[in-house]
Structures are given as structure tokens and as C-alpha cells.
Amino acid sequence: MRNAAAAGPSQSRTMKSVWKYEAVASAETIRELARDYLTIVYPIFPVFHSPTFMQNIEAGLYTAHRPFFVTTMVVCAVVSARLRHGAGLPHAHTDPETIVPSTEAFYAAAVNAFPKDLSTAREFEYKRAKALLAIFCLQQTDIVSLHTHLGDYVTLSMNDGFYDEARWPINLPQSEVQERRRLFWSTYTLEIFTAITWGGLVRHRQSMSSVAYPAETEDDEHITGTQCIVTPGAVSFLRGWNATTDLYRILEYLVDRARTQRVHGGDQMAGYMAGLWQPAIGPSTTDILALVEDIQAALPAQFKTVPPMTGDSKRDRYGFQAANLTLTVQTIKMLLAGAEESSIEHRCSIAGQLVHALASIPTAYVAAISVPMLHHMASVGHLLAGVIHSPLNQLSLLQIRSVLLTMADLISSLELALSSSADISAKLKQHVTIIDKHVHDLSLAWNPNALQSEQLASQFVPEQNTLPPELFNVDPNPAPVPDALQDWTFAFSPDHQQQLRSDLTQAWPFELETFGGYESFWDLQDTAGASGTAPIGTTHWTGQGS
């Protein structure tokens, strides 16, 4: 970003003649929100050269330069939304209760000041603003606007060849080169994430782009107008950030493979064109997992565990990278598990691993990452929803029960950090109670007069007639089914199956189902199903009673 002395090209001056600055918030509020961006959002979306950014904020460039005004307003919108959704977020400079104006007012100011004719929005600052507007809409779970802003960003990128460094302006300062690289790959990962979660097209194709990764400098102060100073032996937080980008490139490959098989497979492609879409021999699941392990193994120790947040923003950037790496690795494993004919046990195991990984991330990072963290939890729900249609043996049922209960407990612990997670925990615990009642009824049906069955029933069914659903005291370690029933299989009734599937996939404060005519990656996986094809709606057992 150029500083106040370089306001922009002649086109920008023409646009400024029809734009007049109107104050939206005090200079102090804007300054504090900008500082909070560098603490809360920058570690995952480091799209600014932070010294230049704060210099321009302090100089009030947003009052005279329309493109920077748009960017500043959306920065304020993103940060205030994060603070609002993450009540009690530590180490923030701004109290969310005192922010004036509202989050929506900042967003409206940014949108209203953006040129309506995209062909006139030629400055780099407008691309950055569109990416940040998309991030804001992700935070607000406004998926239609999220796709709209991402689409506008792609249009702006196409207009000047932003996807190819060879087409960038010559003699750019190194600080601007690094900003551009960070923006390109930040938006790339955002679009892959949205393609997996809500469907839609992947327009950022790594095979059609030629943009290098950002330099792994220890800090932005080490980036000058002419060089990037990399300190020997020092570990940049961007080392972890670039590794996460590598993982997203793997995710793009998995999305391509799944959609090619789904959309272009089968009889509808018979004819001369069918050969173009025949699946080529590519890396196996084992190969992909080995690649992921290699990426992880090559990382320094700073990125292998998520330490508690310290309040030192420069130190905490490493924790943010470790958290993001953890989530992305588990997403790859879940996609691999769902894309193949994997067993119910394997899917439940992978879902359990992701829940465990989420539980290992300190709550302060969860609050800072905010709503996107819930999207990862929702993906666990989709993975489980893909197996509840299958008859389940005792082990599978208990695995699903365990994952549901762990998810409920984890979400309950996050509710103080994420206001949008309310009520999900209670719904999942209700399903655990229903599962326990099914097993209880099964044991009584087998031997209704046995004392053992009565004891089993008391252990499986918690006292609930005097407690509201959200306070169910579900036993984390239910008693086993009697030996005589070890060979039974269980299938959810159609009504319970429908309700459980709905709560696993739709009880979240956003939609994870089909969007805009496209299916999310999780919907593609559900059609594959897990192994097992017995009829639904009955409980069977093959043991002999006495």
C-alpha cells in the first residue's frame, strides 16, 4: 500500500472527485480497531504490511483516499464483528460494548463507497477490500454476499492479471509485493474453504496462477522498500502460514477429484467426450496422507502444538498458525474418509479425531477465529450424518454416541467464547439420551423381568423428568449391552434418523447444506455413504436368548 504521499493514479483522482468523505466513527475508534485487526485477524489474513498500514491509519489517509476508506471501513466491520461474536475476547484494545457505530454501519459505509462500476476500480486497494468484505460476510454467515464479493474480487483480478506476477506493475516496493502475494493466497484459501463448505466454483486455480508465496520474514519491520530481510535461524510465523496454503492446495485437488467423479461420471457422459473425464491415476489416500505428514514433520516445533494465548501479539501469531494447521489437516482427513467407501468405524474415528483436535485449541484462539471454528464443527456433523442411515453394531453405535457427547461438551465449553453456538450442545445431548433409551428398550425387550436389565436401564437413562433438556446429565460411560446381545445391529427409526440428521447439519447458526444450486463437499460425500446397506428402521440381533 502506498502511503499518504502517493494517493494513487489519475483514475483514482477522477473517482475521488465524485466521492466525499463522511465520518463514520471517531479517529480513535478506527485506530483501536485497526490495532485489533493486527492482533485478531492478521495472523490468518496478513494482507497488510503492518507498519505502512498503521502509518496510513495514523495519518488519516482514509479521509482523503477513497480506496483506503473502503478498506478501513471493512477492517473496522470485520474486527467489531469478531469482538461481538467472541464475548470476552482477551487482549483486545476495544471493548465490543463501546464500539460506535455498529458493525453493520461500518459494512454499509464500505459497500456504499465502493465503485458501482467494477471496471473503474483499478487500484490494488479495491481487491484487498473485496477480499475483506468476503471475510466479513463469512463471519456474519451471509453466504450470498460472501460469494458475491469473492466473485467481484475475481473480476478485479481478471481485469489486470493479478493472478500472474509478471503482469504486476514494475518497480513495486517490496512491501507491496509481499502484500499482493499474501492477498492472493489468503483469498485462494478462503475460496477453497467456501467451495468445500457451501459448494460453488473454485475460480482460484493453482494450475492457472503464477504468484509466489510470501517471503518468510520474522516481522514486517524486516520488509523495506527494496528488500526482505530474512534472519538466519529465525522462524517466521509465515512458515506455518505457507504450510497451511500447501494443505489447501491438497484440498483443491480433493475437491476436483470428487466433483469430476460425481458430475462427469456415469452414462450421461457417454460418447466422444467421455474420455476427457475418465479419472486419471492419481495419488492414493495413503499417498496423500503421507504428503500431509511430510508437511507437518518439516515444520518447526512452534507449529506442532497450540500454546495458551499470551497477549503478546507477535508470539501469539505462532499459536494461530498451529491452530489453523490443526484444523486444515483434520479437514483433509475427513474429506478422504468421506470420499471413499470407508467403514462406519473409520468415519467415526476421523470425526472423533477432529473433535479432539478442536478441544486441544485454547479457547482464546477459538474466540479469535470465531464463527469459522463452528464451520469445522459442523463438518463433523455432516460426516456423522452420512453414516446414521446404516445399520449399526454395538461398537459403531457407541462410537457415534461418544462423538456426539464429546461434541456437545466441547460446544458447551465454547458457548462463552462464541455466542453463536448456543443451543447446539443441548440438541446433541438430547440425541445421546435417545440413543441410550433405544438400548435400554432393547435390553428390556430381550428379558423384561431380568434384574440385570433393570440395572442396565437405570444406567443408560438419566433422570430427566425434572430437568430441562440442556441440563441432561448424560453418563459418559454407559454400561455394556448384555453378552447375549453382542451381535445385534441397530438402525435409527426414520423419524429419529431425519431429526438427528437435521440437527447434525442444520442446527448451526448458518446453512451448510446445498447452496445456490451447488452441493457442498460434505453433500457429495453423503451420497457415497459408508459401507453397509441393510434396510433402515429396525433393530436386529442374532444372539440366542435363555
Side-chain angles (χ1 to χ4, degrees):
M1 183 194 343
R2 301 190 190 280
N3 60 26
S10 59
Q11 180 66 53
S12 174
R13 289 194 294 270
T14 300
M15 289 189 293
K16 286 197 296 182
S17 66
V18 297
W19 171 77
K20 181 181 179 181
Y21 170 73
E22 293 183 6
V24 178
S26 69
E28 180 181 1
T29 295
I30 292 172
R31 180 170 58 252
E32 294 305 308
L33 288 172
R35 291 175 62 193
D36 281 337
Y37 181 94
L38 297 180
T39 300
I40 300 167
V41 186
Y42 173 91
I44 305 298
F45 296 101
V47 296
F48 295 101
H49 177 246
S50 53
T52 304
F53 174 61
M54 288 309 302
Q55 175 187 343
N56 287 331
I57 290 291
E58 296 285 354
L61 179 60
Y62 54 85
T63 67
H65 188 225
R66 181 179 182 178
F68 190 63
F69 172 81
V70 176
T71 295
T72 302
M73 290 300 99
V74 70
V75 162
C76 292
V78 169
V79 175
S80 61
R82 289 282 175 97
L83 293 173
R84 185 174 66 183
H85 289 159
L89 182 66
H91 315 308
H93 297 93
T94 312
D95 181 351
E97 299 298 325
T98 65
I99 298 175
V100 178
S102 67
T103 295
E104 291 74 17
F106 284 121
Y107 174 74
V111 171
N112 291 337
F114 204 99
K116 300 301 183 286
D117 182 356
L118 292 182
S119 67
T120 66
R122 305 304 298 269
E123 288 201 23
F124 165 72
E125 200 66 72
Y126 284 127
K127 299 182 188 66
R128 176 156 50 196
K130 275 297 179 181
L132 290 168
L133 284 166
I135 292 169
F136 172 81
C137 293
L138 171 62
Q139 177 70 32
Q140 300 296 97
T141 65
D142 180 355
I143 309 308
V144 171
S145 296
L146 165 63
H147 280 269
T148 299
H149 291 307
L150 276 177
D152 287 348
Y153 167 86
V154 172
T155 297
L156 296 176
S157 298
M158 289 292 294
N159 285 348
D160 64 4
F162 182 63
Y163 51 86
D164 184 355
E165 283 195 25
R167 298 179 64 180
W168 292 358
I170 60 175
N171 300 323
L172 282 174
Q174 266 302 309
S175 57
E176 292 193 32
V177 171
Q178 299 307 315
E179 283 184 323
R180 287 166 176 262
R181 290 174 177 174
R182 295 178 188 182
L183 177 65
F184 177 86
W185 289 110
S186 289
T187 315
Y188 168 84
T189 60
L190 177 61
E191 186 164 65
I192 299 301
F193 179 84
T194 59
I196 291 170
T197 309
W198 293 287
L201 299 175
V202 177
R203 292 155 294 192
H204 286 73
R205 312 297 302 179
Q206 56 181 305
S207 62
M208 301 179 69
S209 304
S210 181
V211 177
Y213 280 6
E216 295 178 2
T217 54
E218 189 175 3
D219 198 83
D220 280 359
E221 283 79 5
H222 294 181
I223 303 173
T224 70
T226 58
Q227 62 180 332
C228 296
I229 303 170
V230 178
T231 306
V235 176
S236 168
F237 82 95
L238 288 165
R239 174 74 180 279
W241 193 86
N242 287 338
T244 301
T245 303
D246 283 337
L247 296 175
Y248 268 92
R249 294 171 75 174
I250 295 173
L251 287 171
E252 182 195 348
Y253 168 78
L254 294 177
V255 170
D256 278 352
R257 186 170 71 176
R259 288 187 175 165
T260 297
Q261 292 171 351
R262 171 70 185 277
V263 177
H264 298 297
D267 293 338
Q268 72 270 26
M269 290 303 297
Y272 294 109
M273 301 298 292
L276 294 176
W277 306 111
Q278 293 302 316
I281 298 176
S284 65
T285 295
T286 302
D287 295 333
I288 293 173
L289 289 175
L291 175 58
V292 171
E293 291 174 0
D294 288 344
I295 292 172
Q296 290 180 287
L299 289 170
Q302 292 94 321
F303 304 111
K304 294 185 177 179
T305 59
V306 188
M309 190 175 283
T310 66
D312 181 335
S313 61
K314 291 184 179 179
R315 289 180 59 189
D316 290 338
R317 289 171 189 170
Y318 297 89
F320 275 103
Q321 303 316 310
N324 204 19
L325 283 161
T326 296
L327 295 172
T328 310
V329 166
Q330 294 302 324
T331 300
I332 290 173
K333 291 181 178 180
M334 286 184 27
L335 265 59
L336 289 171
E340 299 181 345
E341 284 290 330
S342 55
S343 67
I344 295 171
E345 291 80 3
H346 181 58
R347 286 192 174 200
C348 289
S349 174
I350 294 297
Q353 288 179 32
L354 177 57
V355 172
H356 177 75
L358 290 170
S360 71
I361 298 174
T363 304
Y365 290 105
V366 174
I369 296 173
S370 194
V371 171
M373 180 70 77
L374 284 179
H375 292 301
H376 286 281
M377 289 291 268
S379 64
V380 178
H382 258 249
L383 191 65
L384 290 180
V387 304
I388 62 173
H389 57 71
S390 303
L392 307 170
N393 59 30
Q394 181 186 1
L395 175 61
S396 300
L397 182 64
L398 293 181
Q399 280 184 311
I400 290 178
R401 181 191 189 279
S402 175
V403 174
L404 287 174
L405 188 55
T406 304
M407 282 180 66
D409 289 341
L410 176 58
I411 294 171
S412 179
S413 72
L414 298 181
E415 285 178 357
L416 291 177
L418 292 176
S419 58
S420 28
S421 63
D423 299 329
I424 306 173
S425 176
K427 289 184 178 182
L428 295 181
K429 285 192 175 183
Q430 288 183 53
H431 287 295
V432 173
T433 302
I434 294 172
I435 291 173
D436 290 350
K437 186 177 185 303
H438 278 305
V439 179
H440 159 248
D441 292 344
L442 170 62
S443 65
L444 290 182
W446 181 259
N447 191 354
N449 298 317
L451 178 61
Q452 181 184 29
S453 295
E454 293 296 335
Q455 293 172 338
L456 180 66
S458 67
Q459 294 184 56
F460 261 97
V461 181
E463 293 291 336
Q464 56 178 292
N465 54 348
T466 60
L467 295 176
E470 62 270 22
L471 296 180
F472 285 171
N473 183 24
V474 182
D475 184 0
N477 298 300
V481 174
D483 289 342
L485 303 181
Q486 290 301 306
D487 294 329
W488 60 258
T489 61
F490 168 84
F492 293 100
S493 69
D495 288 344
H496 183 203
Q497 179 189 151
Q498 181 178 359
Q499 185 60 49
L500 177 54
R501 182 180 177 86
S502 174
D503 286 344
L504 284 170
T505 61
Q506 299 178 25
W508 309 87
F510 45 77
E511 293 293 333
L512 195 65
E513 290 284 359
T514 302
F515 170 80
Y518 297 100
E519 291 175 300
S520 76
F521 195 95
W522 309 113
D523 295 316
L524 292 177
Q525 293 186 94
D526 288 351
T527 62
S531 56
T533 57
I536 297 171
T538 55
T539 302
H540 309 278
W541 59 85
T542 57
Q544 298 299 313
S546 57

